[in-house]
Amino acid sequence: MAKKGFMARLIEGPERSETYAMSTLPTNRWELGWDVFKTNKGKLCGLNLLTIVFMLPMLALLLLRYMQKVVNVATYPFTQNMGLGYPVYPTSAGLESQLALSLNIETFKYIILGVAVAAVAISGGFYVMRNMVWAEGVMVTSDFFKGVKKNYFVVFFSLLLYTVVIVLSILSINMASIMIASNDQSTWLLVGAQVITYIIMAVATIMVLYMITMGINYRLKFRNLIRNAFILTIALIPTNIFFVLFAAVWFLLIFMGFQLFSVLGVVLCVIWGFSLFMLIWTNYSHWVFDKFINDKVPGAKKNRGIYKTNANEDDGEAIVIEKSKLAAKPIKPITDYDVELYELPTSFSRKDLQKLEETKEAMRRDSDQYAEDHKDDYLNKKEPETIDDLMKAETETQNEKTESGKDEE
């Protein structure tokens, strides 16, 4: 076979055998996540910037809260010797906790606006990421707003429920801190209550992530969404914690306390941070859905975006690449030289081209005639499906050869 010309190779790319093409496809979730990142860096960056735009109100609110905390620390003498200095504070017991409570109450008055806008970013972003994980073609902007149209309300109410839990938890922790600072005799009970509250906040965080990905994947009643998210959160605690931390590592770098890590974290978050978080969690949650949910959902396909060599639709598995099933048509052996292709000389004429076309036509007719003469040989032939079938077929072939040899003798 003649090699492609330079321009053809430049446009179409290098030739790839079927075996090579299949070997490059992701066969598990880790490979799928890396493949999505590797082949969609630009789209992930665009999605990240689009997400940041709609997260700005929430980020601004959190930034103002942080700045006010810094001002409070600088203004009030929480760490100074209370016997020295001016002005004199009659008592500072619980002052820091009281200021924190007041600041949180003031901040939470406006948080509903941030949640409403953030729901746009999350509903659109997770929808685009779902399509990427499913190995579907994605146009970031149009698919983003399509996801907003389809999933905004389920995401908004999930975030609203989560916000209520977080707000009540933080205010409860602040109240407990004030009581502890006032030397209440039940200090150990209050500390235990704070620890339990932090656990509730962690569970709620994982739950809302499941609620978002499930709400985008399936059409469930809201109470069923909460129930299923709670079950998956509690049943898979170790892996849930690992993947939440793994997805958020870019954000955690900012708070490591080292300037280099903080700068690196900010840069990564601006370029890919939110997109990578959504990619890692979406990919992981789809593994969970394949394992525990999709078998129970009529019509749901498993392992979407992953190439499985033994996948079949009866098992509910998505077949990413399907080999074409050729008809059982006899093919003339290539060792048969009854008809040869005319070779063009270095300097050829129209007559030489006609001879070449005639020999090509003769080869086609000869091949069709061979298929017609031997079509009955393939009518009842079954292709081996397993190694045992292949070994059995080989044994039968050897026996046939042995018997034919005996008949000739």
Side-chain angles (χ1 to χ4, degrees), residues 140-154:
V140 174
T141 304
S142 61
D143 284 356
F144 181 91
F145 288 105
K146 183 178 179 181
V148 173
K149 182 179 179 180
K150 294 177 65 174
N151 305 297
Y152 177 80
F153 287 105
V154 67

Side-chain angles (χ1 to χ4, degrees), residues 15 28-29 38 41 131 162 177 310 336 375 400:
E15 294 181 4
N28 57 59
R29 288 289 168 189
K38 180 177 62 175
K41 294 187 186 72
N131 292 345
Y162 173 68
S177 297
N310 57 347
D336 192 334
K375 65 179 181 181
E400 289 176 1

Side-chain angles (χ1 to χ4, degrees), residues 90-150:
T91 178
S92 64
L95 177 60
E96 183 179 2
S97 300
Q98 290 174 6
L99 290 173
L101 177 62
S102 176
L103 176 60
N104 287 331
I105 291 175
E106 193 66 27
T107 302
F108 294 153
K109 289 180 181 179
Y110 308 100
I111 200 168
I112 187 66
L113 175 62
V115 169
V117 182
V120 175
I122 294 173
S123 58
F126 271 96
Y127 180 79
V128 172
M129 197 54 61
R130 184 205 69 175
N131 292 345
M132 284 187 179
V133 170
W134 282 3
E136 295 183 356
V138 169
M139 297 183 66
V140 174
T141 304
S142 61
D143 284 356
F144 181 91
F145 288 105
K146 183 178 179 181
V148 173
K149 182 179 179 180
K150 294 177 65 174

